[in-house]
Amino acid sequence: MPVIKPLFVIWGYGSENIFRDFAGFLRQRGHEVVVLPEAGLDKRAELERLASRPFILLTSAHFTRDERILGDFYPDIHIDNAFLELLYHCPPLLSAFYPHDLSTPLVINEPAQLSGFDLVLWPTRYFGYQPRPHRLLTVGWIGYRNEYRPAEDRRYDSALLFSDICAHKGRLGVAGTYDKLAPILACGTAIKFPDWPGHDEFEEYFSAQGAVVIPAETAAGDVILDSRLIVSNSISSISVEASLMGTPVINLIEDYLPSGMQREFLSGLPGCILSSYGDFPEHLAAPPCAATPQVERFDPEHTLNLILDALVDKHGPGVLKDSESARPATMSVEILCSPKPPQMGPPGLMQVSSRKIRIKKVHDASPAEPDITTAAQASHEVGANTDEINLATAVRLLEQGEVNGAFTMLQELVTAGSTHWGPYYHIARLAQAQGEADIGFEFLTHAVQREQPPGIAHRSLAQLHLSAGRYQETLSTLSPLLRHDSRDYEALDILRHALGQMPEISPIAWARLLADLRFRPT
């Protein structure tokens, strides 16, 4: 059986994703690579992409900085997903963490949660946190992958790797930021902005003023190894990375930070001095001496082998020889126990005794989505598959009040991994009727993942989100409905109520909603 190439999912937004070049290396080796989160892509769409795929998950992001914390530090960035949410809903074959900077590799409560990863790849031989992860491997610093070059062979005399563009834009604007940095740039110093949203505006303006601008997409490590001197500002990790890679650093003191904060942060860092903006020309004339490199080079081939070895250790050698690429989406199947005698009702989900529950027929105005209750007749006419026939039979039993028999049939369909949305939708309806809101929500979510074209399951989940005050989730669930049919009056009614109740709607969400309403299927 041929060896397969596992899918790699790399999680990290902007400069928190340090695996870009490694992703290119993986693709060269024949692996499919997906980079998440994508700005503007709703979380449901991201999760659906991975719900039935075996994959290896790599992240270099601060995984406890969910969208709320990111919003506090970087208000211009809007992403819907949280890393831990992805890890919970779509468990990977193997999960691995590698820090994206050397100054604060872990933050908040990340050290305590690090052992939740199968593998921790570390850039230095010194770890320095407690508790120590179960499987910790040193692979060198990913920014230090090219050969060390002597100063005379480097391209830039000095390069400013500028940080805090969000703060500067808010305080000074783009033009004001240029005026602040003009004396530094006048000394011949090139500048690279971080790869955050809005960097293109800075690049265009600074280039128009004659500054030497290094593209934001350029890896910081490549700039460090190609510069005789690195200029940094604020308390970004650039100062630490450059020092440990053997390039001297001048760190510019920012007046918006607490007095002494940068000096305390960089105290004792070899090959690094601090300077005010006004004193920079003086320090440039007599720069600090370079320190001996303290990090090892990153070898992508060796790192890939370590990851695949860990995968085989966890799952056995057959994991790389399995020709099946699909795995069923995770769900709480513990409620689908073996059937009990009919008079007891299916355990866990329903205790209905002999009480009848009437399931109201739901008719859809869309001709592309026939009423599921008529599927039995249609299935015999068009040769529908067994799932559709059994589903139609179960629905008919529900209409007749035979809840136990219907549930048994629905249970068998779900346990067998039916790809039809109907069994999950009707189990969700039964769970909701019995007050099992969490189970109803879970199975309704699975129904939505399978419903094509979008219809009653999507509308039901959107209404459930709306009732719970989850407005962003409401809009995300309505999105495929509106794109399928912008005249879906039931969906539009839910949307009207959502917009009336939302305290505010972000520009990104508003733009996405307009795109949904204007979308015309080809």
Side-chain angles (χ1 to χ4, degrees), residues 62-225:
H62 286 305
F63 53 90
T64 57
R65 282 184 175 174
D66 59 15
E67 59 266 38
R68 179 187 59 79
I69 300 175
L70 262 176
D72 290 342
F73 284 91
Y74 308 106
D76 292 339
I77 298 172
H78 302 281
I79 59 174
D80 286 328
N81 247 328
F83 173 78
L84 297 180
E85 183 178 28
L86 172 68
L87 199 62
Y88 174 79
H89 287 290
C90 301
L93 291 173
L94 185 85
S95 59
F97 172 81
Y98 181 88
H100 72 269
D101 68 57
L102 294 176
S103 59
T104 52
L106 299 173
V107 298
I108 314 177
N109 61 338
E110 287 175 346
Q113 300 187 35
L114 207 54
S115 289
F117 291 91
D118 298 304
L119 180 64
V120 176
L121 305 172
W122 204 249
T124 65
R125 295 195 175 277
Y126 175 71
F127 181 62
Y129 294 94
Q130 292 295 333
R132 190 177 181 87
H134 302 310
R135 187 161 187 166
L136 178 72
L137 299 176
T138 302
V139 295
W141 175 234
I142 198 168
Y144 189 16
R145 62 186 183 277
N146 295 324
E147 292 287 348
Y148 182 87
R149 294 191 294 276
E152 58 270 19
D153 293 338
R154 300 190 179 195
R155 177 179 180 182
Y156 303 105
D157 288 328
S158 59
L160 168 58
L161 299 182
F162 191 63
S163 302
D164 294 352
I165 61 171
C166 295
H168 278 81
K169 185 176 181 180
R171 297 174 72 248
L172 302 174
V174 176
T177 302
Y178 176 81
D179 292 340
K180 174 182 176 178
L181 297 178
I184 309 296
L185 304 177
C187 297
T189 300
I191 185 168
K192 176 185 127 51
F193 296 99
D195 188 12
W196 287 117
H199 69 78
D200 50 351
E201 186 179 359
F202 280 86
E203 289 179 335
E204 292 174 5
Y205 187 88
F206 276 58
S207 295
Q209 309 309 311
V212 178
V213 177
I214 303 171
E217 295 79 11
T218 308
D222 289 349
V223 179
I224 290 172
L225 288 177

Side-chain angles (χ1 to χ4, degrees), residues 33 42 48 77 127 159 163 240 269 274 344 362 370 378 423 492:
V33 179
D42 65 88
E48 284 180 2
I77 298 172
F127 181 62
S163 302
V240 178
L269 188 65
L274 279 75
M344 296 180 63
V362 181
L492 291 172

Side-chain angles (χ1 to χ4, degrees), residues 11 104 175 187 215 256 292 394:
W11 176 275
T104 52
C187 297
Y256 57 83
T292 302

Side-chain angles (χ1 to χ4, degrees), residues 34 97 108 110 114 157 161 249 275 280 316 350 364 459 484:
V34 173
F97 172 81
I108 314 177
E110 287 175 346
L114 207 54
D157 288 328
L161 299 182
V249 185
S275 171
F280 175 77
M350 302 160 44
D364 193 331
R459 286 192 291 272
H484 176 64

